[in-house]
């Protein structure tokens, strides 16, 4: 498998991806082999079904939305390797001399923010928050309780009084959290 | 009671019989004096700034020991291995395990295990072998058999959880550093126990008869001791959680279950020569997850405080006993051996840390830097576990035991005093990131959970089975197979979010009440009379000159506000819901015939009725203000001034009343409306304090209920 994938990936492609995402060639090849193994149709791109076939993703409450995030990059119903890598690049650990901007703290937070913000209006409304809470907490909790949790969360973060959380407020709410650590994966190289 | 036959001779009105109570009495005196000493240090801030508490306790112990020694009263040696391992160690370890930050611990488990297992074995072997080599050259002027040296190295190289906790609690380094050093000190017990027993039996067997199979079985027994201890602990943990599922009828015994069963876990492990420390640690880690959901809030507080008290007193006693035990006359001082041991302990600790962090950093996202390495190697304190273990050595088999005891004491003193005292300023100089202790906010809790899910999802997409993936799997398993069977009121997959919510609500309530002195009056029952009077005054006021005061309400918005049926319904529902979340608890003053019944009516509420109502009022007020701050800040003032003026005669009353400002919800309450039966004239705002609950007005018989409530 690894052999085939390195065959398919040309030198200049690797260089281009390296340029765009900051991954090392080694990591790119590794991820490419994963990419091809996900790609059942062998057409060089991934469809939604390819992602959703991953069994663990099915139990993840955010599975759908995470998959969606990949397609937002491409604006179509297929994801090519470069787009795949660009999304993953957000989770690269931040190096001190990192020049790439894809994995900055802001980009990481932006990704998390997108998980809530379904309608892309750059605001988290109470409904969006509730939807997320419902996904995570499950059905055993009364709607009222969830709703008051959502209310509290909104009022806690909300500063301009619109009862929504915008991105700045979101960042502010998480300013004490070590997002750089939490949203990084050690990609094997 | 004396038997009656003695009456014949002479009946003693007064007699002294000390030896019957001697042991518990002396123990009592010990605990008492240790606690007094502890108070003493906290009263002298200068001392406690320079010295860690453990040092001062040892010093006090030495002084006490000297006194006892001079008066020849040292016949009862306070520090025996049994008292240590069976009575003084378990509380500390249970406390550590129960309040272990699970997430951090499991995130760094790899590093911790590397240090605890490989690091301890490395230290033991290197110290033992080096001492043996030096012994061969005749440096120590005594016979140094290799097995005895290794036995000694095994007990001296284990980092001690008690000492580490005692020192690290005070300096507040960042949590990663803390968990690595502390986790190491907890988990290396398994290694220490195995190595200790192994070398002990080897040295009894004699070095000639050791076969390779014995070494192999040593390795195997390590696995058994470690895994066995952990499994025993986890099993007891689950049993405890399961038992607490059924204790909701007898709340008083909840804390005792937790303590007794954790202790049983420790003892069970010790029975089989497993690692008791590991067992009780894992028991604490396991049961905390489920027990908290089962037991009442009050029981939880009890558990928390009892645990803290027990662990801090045993820690205190351990250090004092260490001091006392130093003073005896079987010391065998061997300067070279002692110096060599101290030197080797420090040097191999440093080497071990450098090598192992190098390895660990290959796999870690957060790299341990130089400062971390330094603190880790410097924080490797030795303590009472080593001392108790050295006392356990049988001098008949190991003739060097007295020398070992002296050396162990010296090493402990060196690490606790020199390293303990200097680590605080060093941490400051090196600018180590300090920990900020805080509770997560609602946003942090939710967003961090989201981040966890994202990361788990990404790991799945990558096909990489990392931390997040494992945690996700475990959570899924836990939520679908474990929790429903163990937790009584199983609610939802994210208990932490609810927990944070409820904690924050309580804290807010407490804060608000505390901050508003005038409101605080409500929360204590004494003011009920006052409150009663003010409300009756109120009635009078309403009855008399209200026409003149119709001008109270200057806020036009308020006047224009005309609640429809739908609004009313909504308001009702809203109140019901908030009530549901923090149920007001009524104090039933019922007669209790059982000594053991704990009044548990406030179990699910956790928020006192009055506190809750006050909070709602204040919050409502706050919302109201912020909503109309621009428009009506001017209008609010005359409103309130005139209000307090009108009631101005009674000072206490006006104080309680003046905080009351109208809110949207208030304005739709029944007594605000024209058709309220109690008031001749309608009052648009401010006419009734908000501390009446939703239920009160729903029953539409407001004042009666009020008086009834006050009277009852």
């Amino acid at each position: 498998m690894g052999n085939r994938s390195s065959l398919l990936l040309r030198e200049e492609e690797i260089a281009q991806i390296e340029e765009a995402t900051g991954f090392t060639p080694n990591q790119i090849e590794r991820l490419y082999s994963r990419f091809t193994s996900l790609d059942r149709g062998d057409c060089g791109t991934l469809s939604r079904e390819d992602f959703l076939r991953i069994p663990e993703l099915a139990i993840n409450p955010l599975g759908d939305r995470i998959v969606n995030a990949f397609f937002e990059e491409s604006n179509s119903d297929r994801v090519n390797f470069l787009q795949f890598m660009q999304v993953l690049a957000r989770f690269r650990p931040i190096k001190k001399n990192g020049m790439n901007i894809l994995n900055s703290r802001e980009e990481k937070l932006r990704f998390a923010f997108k998980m809530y913000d379904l309608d892309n209006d750059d605001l988290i409304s109470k409904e969006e928050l509730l939807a997320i809470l419902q996904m995570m907490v499950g059905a055993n909790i009364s709607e009222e309780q969830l709703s008051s949790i959502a209310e509290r969360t909104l009022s806690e973060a909300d500063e301009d009084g619109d009862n929504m959380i915008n991105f700045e407020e979101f960042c502010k709410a998480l300013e004490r959290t070590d997002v750089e650590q939490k949203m990084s994966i050690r990609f094997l190289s | 009671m004396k038997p009656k036959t003695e009456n014949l001779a002479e009946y003693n009105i007064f007699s002294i019989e000390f030896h019957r109570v001697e042991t518990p009495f002396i123990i009592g005196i010990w605990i008492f004096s240790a606690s007094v000493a502890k108070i003493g240090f906290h009263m002298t801030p200068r001392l406690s700034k320079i010295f860690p508490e453990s040092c001062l306790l040892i010093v006090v112990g030495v002084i006490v020991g000297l006194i006892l020694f001079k008066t020849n009263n040292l016949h009862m040696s306070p520090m025996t291995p049994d008292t240590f391992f069976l009575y003084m160690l378990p509380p500390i370890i249970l406390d550590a395990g129960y309040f272990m930050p699970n997430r951090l611990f499991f995130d760094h488990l790899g590093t911790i295990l590397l240090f605890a297992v490989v690091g301890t074995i490395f230290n033991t072997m290197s110290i033992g072998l080096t001492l043996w080599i030096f012994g061969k050259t005749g440096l120590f002027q005594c016979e140094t058999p290799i097995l005895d040296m290794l036995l000694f190295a095994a007990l001296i190289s284990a980092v001690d959880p008690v000492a580490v906790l005692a020192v690290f609690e005070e300096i507040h380094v960042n949590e990663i550093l803390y968990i690595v050093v502390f986790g190491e000190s907890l988990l290396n017990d398994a290694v220490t126990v195995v190595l200790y027993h192994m070398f002990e039996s080897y040295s009894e067997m004699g070095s000639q008869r050791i076969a390779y199979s014995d070494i192999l079985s040593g390795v195997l027994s390590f696995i058994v001791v470690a895994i066995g201890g952990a499994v025993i602990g986890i099993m007891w943990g689950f049993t405890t959680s399961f038992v607490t599922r059924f204790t909701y009828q007898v709340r008083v015994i909840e804390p005792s279950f937790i303590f007794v069963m954790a202790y049983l876990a420790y003892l069970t492990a010790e029975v089989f020569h497993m690692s008791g420390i590991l067992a009780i640690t894992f028991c604490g880690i396991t049961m905390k997850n489920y027990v908290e959901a089962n037991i009442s809030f009050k029981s939880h507080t009890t558990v928390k405080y009892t645990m803290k008290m027990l662990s801090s007193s045993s820690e205190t006693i351990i250090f004092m006993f260490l001091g006392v035990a130093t003073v005896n006359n079987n010391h065998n001082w061997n300067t070279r051996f002692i110096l060599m041991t101290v030197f080797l302990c420090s040097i191999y600790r440093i080497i071990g840390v450098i090598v192992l962090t190098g390895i660990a950093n290959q796999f870690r996202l957060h790299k341990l830097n130089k400062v971390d390495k330094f603190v880790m190697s410097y924080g490797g304190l030795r303590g009472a576990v080593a001392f108790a273990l050295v006392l356990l050595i049988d001098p008949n088999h190991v003739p060097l035991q007295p020398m070992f005891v002296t050396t162990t004491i010296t090493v402990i003193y060196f690490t606790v005093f020199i390293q303990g005292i200097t680590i605080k300023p060093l941490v400051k100089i090196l600018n180590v990131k300090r920990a900020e202790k805080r509770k997560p906010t609602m946003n942090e809790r939710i967003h961090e959970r989201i981040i966890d899910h994202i990361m788990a999802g990404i790991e799945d997409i990558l096909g990489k089975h990392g931390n997040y993936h494992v945690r996700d799997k475990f959570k899924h398993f836990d939520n679908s197979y474990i929790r429903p069977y163990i937790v009584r009121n199983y609610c939802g997959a994210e208990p932490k979010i609810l927990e944070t919510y409820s904690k924050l609500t309580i804290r807010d309530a407490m804060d608000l009440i505390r901050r508003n002195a005038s409101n605080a009056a409500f929360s204590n029952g004494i003011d009920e009379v006052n409150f009663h009077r003010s409300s009756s005054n109120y009635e009078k006021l309403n009855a008399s000159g209200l026409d003149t005061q119709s001008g109270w309400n200057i806020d036009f918005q308020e006047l224009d506000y005309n609640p429809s049926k739908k609004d009313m319904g909504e308001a009702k529902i809203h109140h019901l819901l908030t009530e549901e979340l923090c149920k007001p608890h009524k104090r039933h003053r019922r007669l209790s015939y059982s000594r053991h019944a704990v009044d548990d009516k406030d179990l699910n509420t956790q928020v006192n009725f009055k506190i809750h109502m006050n909070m709602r009022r204040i919050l409502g007020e706050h919302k109201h203000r912020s909503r109309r701050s621009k428009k009506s800040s001017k209008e609010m003032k005359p409103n309130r001034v005139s209000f307090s003026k009108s009631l101005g005669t009674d000072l206490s009353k006006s104080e309680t009343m003046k905080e009351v400002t109208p809110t949207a919800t208030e304005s739709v309450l029944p007594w605000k409306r024209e058709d309220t039966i109690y008031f001749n004239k309608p009052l648009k705002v401010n006419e009734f304090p908000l501390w009446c609950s939703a239920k009160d007005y729903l029953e539409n018989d407001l004042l009666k209920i009020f008086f009834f409530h006050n009277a009852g």
Side-chain angles (χ1 to χ4, degrees):
Chain A
M1 194 68 114
N3 226 348
R4 199 191 72 177
S5 63
S6 53
L7 277 179
L8 283 172
L9 215 57
R10 277 170 291 135
E11 286 286 319
E12 61 265 28
E13 274 177 333
I14 293 181
Q16 185 203 348
I17 293 167
E18 192 182 348
E19 174 81 20
T21 59
F23 282 108
T24 64
N26 240 337
Q27 288 169 330
I28 295 172
E29 277 184 25
R30 222 170 233 280
L31 290 170
Y32 190 66
S33 89
R34 175 70 184 167
F35 183 81
T36 46
S37 76
L38 285 178
D39 178 20
R40 292 289 170 86
D42 269 339
C43 44
T45 53
L46 296 181
S47 66
R48 253 169 237 275
E49 287 69 42
D50 286 328
F51 278 107
L52 295 174
R53 221 174 275 134
I54 303 169
E56 290 92 347
L57 220 51
I59 61 165
N60 193 324
L62 294 178
D64 276 342
R65 297 192 181 202
I66 295 169
V67 171
N68 246 349
F70 282 90
F71 290 93
E72 227 148 71
E73 201 81 5
S74 70
N75 291 322
S76 73
D77 54 351
R78 311 287 301 178
V79 178
N80 67 25
F81 185 57
L82 179 63
Q83 291 153 349
F84 182 73
M85 293 299 276
Q86 272 170 341
V87 175
L88 291 182
R90 302 211 155 76
F91 301 99
R92 284 179 49 238
I94 298 178
K95 293 262 162 54
K96 283 201 179 86
N97 51 359
M99 309 181 287
N100 202 286
I101 45 159
L102 274 177
N103 65 345
S104 65
R105 181 187 167 95
E106 198 188 323
E107 278 300 319
K108 285 176 195 292
L109 280 171
R110 180 66 76 177
F111 190 91
F113 189 77
K114 281 267 166 61
M115 288 290 122
Y116 295 92
D117 186 23
L118 273 191
D119 51 6
N120 276 328
D121 61 351
D122 263 350
L123 289 169
I124 302 176
S125 68
K126 190 185 161 191
E127 284 69 38
E128 285 165 337
L129 195 57
L130 256 181
I132 282 267
L133 278 174
Q134 236 146 14
M135 281 179 182
M136 284 203 304
V137 178
N140 287 358
I141 280 187
S142 71
E143 196 117 340
E144 298 82 53
Q145 216 156 354
L146 277 186
S147 146
S148 58
I149 290 177
E151 259 170 35
R152 172 156 188 133
T153 312
L154 280 178
S155 68
E156 192 183 86
D158 187 26
E159 282 179 342
D160 51 12
D162 59 353
N163 227 10
M164 310 259 227
I165 303 180
N166 60 29
F167 187 60
E168 282 78 54
E169 287 163 349
F170 185 75
C171 291
K172 195 130 196 247
L174 283 175
E175 68 187 345
R176 289 188 302 181
T177 308
D178 195 359
V179 178
E180 292 91 335
Q181 284 292 329
K182 281 209 157 86
M183 294 194 70
S184 297
I185 287 184
R186 216 176 51 85
F187 291 94
L188 297 171
S189 56
Chain B
M1 282 305 252
K2 297 266 162 92
K4 276 194 174 177
T5 48
E6 272 185 35
N7 264 355
L8 296 173
E10 186 187 347
Y11 190 84
N12 282 336
I13 300 173
F14 181 81
S15 64
I16 294 174
E17 189 186 27
F18 184 64
H19 73 263
R20 195 165 72 98
V21 296
E22 189 182 17
T23 314
F25 192 84
I26 289 178
I27 293 171
I29 290 288
W30 275 118
I31 298 174
F32 172 71
S33 52
S35 310
V36 167
K38 206 164 179 168
I39 295 174
F41 307 139
H42 286 280
M43 302 283 273
T44 50
R46 246 186 299 148
L47 266 184
S48 52
K49 230 176 222 169
I50 303 168
F51 302 100
E53 228 176 64
S54 41
C55 296
L56 298 167
L57 286 168
I58 289 183
V59 170
V60 172
V62 169
I63 295 169
V64 173
L66 279 175
I67 295 168
L68 289 178
F69 188 64
K70 289 278 177 233
T71 53
N72 284 326
N73 265 333
L74 207 66
H75 60 281
M76 200 179 106
S77 171
M79 184 81 158
T80 65
D82 264 358
T83 53
F84 176 74
F85 280 118
L86 297 186
Y87 305 115
M88 297 195 286
L89 192 59
I92 299 174
I93 307 297
L94 177 62
D95 175 65
Y98 194 83
F99 295 104
M100 170 85 74
N102 281 359
R103 166 107 200 230
L104 263 179
F105 180 72
F106 287 110
D107 272 354
H108 300 275
L109 191 61
T111 314
I112 292 171
L113 277 178
L114 185 71
F115 273 93
V117 178
V118 183
T120 311
I121 292 175
F122 166 77
N123 272 321
T124 306
M125 290 303 168
S126 52
I127 292 174
L129 291 178
T130 320
L131 280 177
W132 174 65
I133 290 167
F134 277 113
K136 278 277 174 200
T137 63
L139 186 70
F140 305 136
Q141 286 141 359
C142 61
E143 194 72 21
T144 53
I146 180 165
L147 287 173
D148 292 6
M149 286 299 125
L150 283 172
L151 176 63
F152 174 67
L155 65 91
I156 205 71
S157 57
V159 174
D160 182 68
V162 183
V164 166
L165 267 178
V167 167
F168 273 65
E169 286 276 277
E170 284 178 47
I171 56 177
H172 295 300
V173 289
N174 63 66
E175 54 270 279
I176 292 176
L177 211 48
Y178 174 80
I179 202 73
V180 170
V181 178
F182 170 57
E184 181 200 347
S185 72
L186 273 183
L187 297 195
N188 69 12
D189 174 65
V191 182
T192 314
V193 167
V194 172
L195 289 177
Y196 180 82
H197 284 301
M198 203 162 84
F199 290 127
E200 196 183 27
S201 47
Y202 285 172
S203 74
E204 276 168 25
M205 283 157 63
S207 55
Q208 283 80 31
R209 288 172 33 219
I210 299 170
Y212 285 109
S213 62
D214 289 323
I215 294 172
L216 194 72
S217 60
V219 175
L220 275 180
S221 83
F222 161 71
I223 297 167
V224 171
V225 164
I227 309 268
V231 166
I232 288 175
I234 290 170
M235 270 162 42
W236 275 102
F238 277 126
T239 322
T240 317
S241 321
F242 188 66
V243 168
T244 51
R245 192 187 163 154
F246 304 102
T247 53
Y248 55 95
Q249 297 288 355
V250 261
R251 292 287 189 198
V252 269
I253 58 168
E254 277 171 348
S256 63
F257 266 126
I258 290 168
F259 289 110
V260 167
M261 294 180 79
Y263 191 48
L264 281 175
Y266 182 83
L267 295 180
T268 322
E270 290 285 307
V271 167
F272 299 109
H273 275 281
M274 307 279 185
S275 161
I277 292 187
L278 271 186
I280 203 168
T281 307
F282 276 95
C283 183
I285 289 177
T286 315
M287 71 180 171
K288 173 180 63 179
N289 279 333
Y290 310 106
V291 158
E292 269 182 39
N294 279 336
I295 66 175
S296 77
F297 188 63
K298 282 178 179 171
S299 299
H300 184 238
T301 313
T302 312
V303 169
K304 194 165 116 191
Y305 279 97
T306 317
M307 226 174 247
K308 291 282 171 214
M309 182 204 72
L310 283 179
S311 69
S312 103
S313 20
S314 17
E315 190 187 289
T316 312
I317 294 169
I318 286 173
F319 282 116
M320 253 183 102
F321 278 8
L322 258 183
V324 175
T326 322
V327 189
N328 60 34
N329 40 19
N330 345 322
H331 279 299
N332 182 353
W333 184 270
N334 183 334
T335 315
R336 288 178 185 173
F337 187 74
I338 287 168
L339 282 181
M340 211 58 220
T341 311
V342 171
F343 174 72
L344 289 178
C345 276
S346 327
I347 205 79
Y348 281 123
R349 172 83 191 165
I350 294 169
I351 293 173
V353 166
I354 289 173
V355 172
L356 292 176
T357 42
I359 297 170
N361 276 347
Q362 300 290 313
F363 303 98
R364 286 175 60 88
L365 197 64
H366 172 96
K367 309 279 186 241
L368 295 163
N369 58 24
K370 274 182 198 150
V371 174
D372 293 335
K373 283 180 201 170
F374 177 77
V375 175
M376 280 164 70
S377 49
Y378 208 73
L381 305 178
R382 306 327 200 251
V385 171
F387 184 68
L389 282 175
V390 82
L391 287 184
L392 269 179
I393 299 178
D394 186 356
N396 298 325
H397 289 294
V398 185
L400 284 175
Q401 196 251 7
M403 186 178 86
F404 288 165
V405 174
T406 313
T407 312
T408 308
I409 289 176
T410 320
V411 172
I412 293 172
Y413 275 42
F414 176 79
T415 56
V416 171
F417 275 86
I418 311 238
Q419 297 185 355
I421 292 173
T422 49
I423 196 165
K424 221 176 187 176
L426 275 174
V427 162
K428 244 180 220 156
I429 292 168
L430 291 171
N431 217 353
V432 178
K433 223 170 88 191
R434 300 297 193 87
E436 30 181 312
K437 276 206 174 159
R438 57 179 177 82
K439 294 265 157 63
T441 63
M442 218 47 233
N443 273 285
E444 281 168 344
R445 181 63 93 189
I446 292 176
H447 301 328
E448 280 170 18
R449 269 313 284 153
I450 290 289
I451 290 175
D452 286 349
H453 281 305
I454 295 174
M455 297 314 286
I458 296 291
E459 278 188 354
D460 295 336
I461 288 175
L462 290 176
K464 177 177 175 291
H465 299 303
N467 268 349
Y468 289 100
H469 173 82
V470 173
R471 182 180 303 114
D472 221 44
K473 276 232 152 151
F474 174 73
K475 280 221 163 172
H476 189 72
F477 180 77
D478 186 40
N479 284 328
S480 39
Y481 300 110
I482 304 178
R483 271 181 190 275
Y485 301 105
I486 281 186
V487 174
R488 191 163 65 88
N489 284 324
Y490 174 62
C491 52
E494 293 285 342
K496 286 279 181 194
I497 291 181
L498 287 181
E499 188 190 306
T500 308
Y501 179 70
S502 114
K503 274 185 186 158
L504 281 173
T505 317
I506 294 168
R507 204 195 54 201
D508 280 1
M510 294 307 197
D511 276 0
L512 282 167
I513 298 300
R514 230 169 274 140
R515 223 178 295 133
N516 295 279
S518 59
N519 300 324
F522 281 115
S523 61
N524 70 51
I526 306 162
D527 259 49
E528 282 194 342
V529 184
N530 199 352
F531 157 33
H532 180 113
R533 196 178 52 198
S534 60
S535 50
S536 58
N537 269 351
Y538 215 76
E539 204 181 17
K540 267 183 243 154
L541 246 166
N542 292 331
S544 59
L546 269 190
D547 349 23
T548 52
Q549 283 162 359
S550 55
W552 277 7
N553 195 341
I554 312 178
D555 188 348
F556 291 101
Q557 251 187 350
E558 212 67 45
L559 274 173
D560 287 342
Y561 187 68
N562 195 9
S564 64
K565 265 240 168 74
K566 190 175 151 245
D567 288 336
M568 278 299 298
E570 272 173 1
K572 247 185 221 173
I573 290 169
H574 177 78
H575 276 207
L576 273 176
L577 295 183
T578 42
E579 228 65 66
E580 211 51 50
L581 281 172
C582 311
K583 283 178 201 140
H585 97 263
K586 284 197 182 113
R587 277 169 203 273
H588 293 286
R589 204 167 292 169
R590 46 162 199 195
L591 281 172
S592 168
Y593 294 105
S594 165
R595 243 171 358 110
H596 304 298
V598 177
D599 188 13
D600 211 32
K601 280 282 178 286
D602 52 343
L603 221 198
N604 297 319
T605 70
Q606 305 177 2
V607 175
N608 183 297
F609 164 62
K610 281 176 185 161
I611 290 177
H612 167 60
M613 292 316 292
N614 263 314
M615 179 185 65
R616 209 174 69 191
R617 188 187 60 187
I618 294 157
L619 285 178
E621 190 184 331
H622 175 72
K623 234 186 238 166
H624 179 72
R625 267 188 201 147
S626 62
R627 196 179 305 134
R628 302 188 315 169
S629 56
K630 278 176 222 149
K631 211 177 169 188
S632 58
S633 60
K634 275 176 248 156
E635 294 153 350
M636 296 266 288
K637 259 180 201 158
N639 187 354
R640 285 174 62 190
V641 167
S642 67
F643 178 65
S644 52
K645 252 185 213 160
S646 66
L647 296 164
T649 43
D650 188 344
L651 209 138
S652 67
K653 183 176 58 192
S654 70
E655 203 174 64
T656 50
M657 290 293 167
K658 78 182 167 197
E659 286 299 314
V660 183
T661 43
T663 67
T665 41
E666 192 182 3
S667 63
V668 294
L669 302 183
W671 60 78
K672 309 286 199 272
R673 291 180 300 151
E674 316 269 340
D675 54 347
T676 321
I677 46 168
Y678 301 105
F679 306 120
N680 298 333
K681 294 286 169 178
L683 288 172
K684 302 300 190 295
V685 277
N686 283 345
E687 54 287 78
F688 220 89
L690 251 187
W691 17 252
C692 23
S693 79
K695 274 182 193 146
D696 293 341
Y697 77 74
L698 281 178
E699 294 188 32
N700 211 14
D701 205 356
L702 188 68
L703 284 177
K704 216 161 99 189
I705 286 168
F706 250 109
F707 297 136
F708 187 70
H709 187 83
N710 289 332

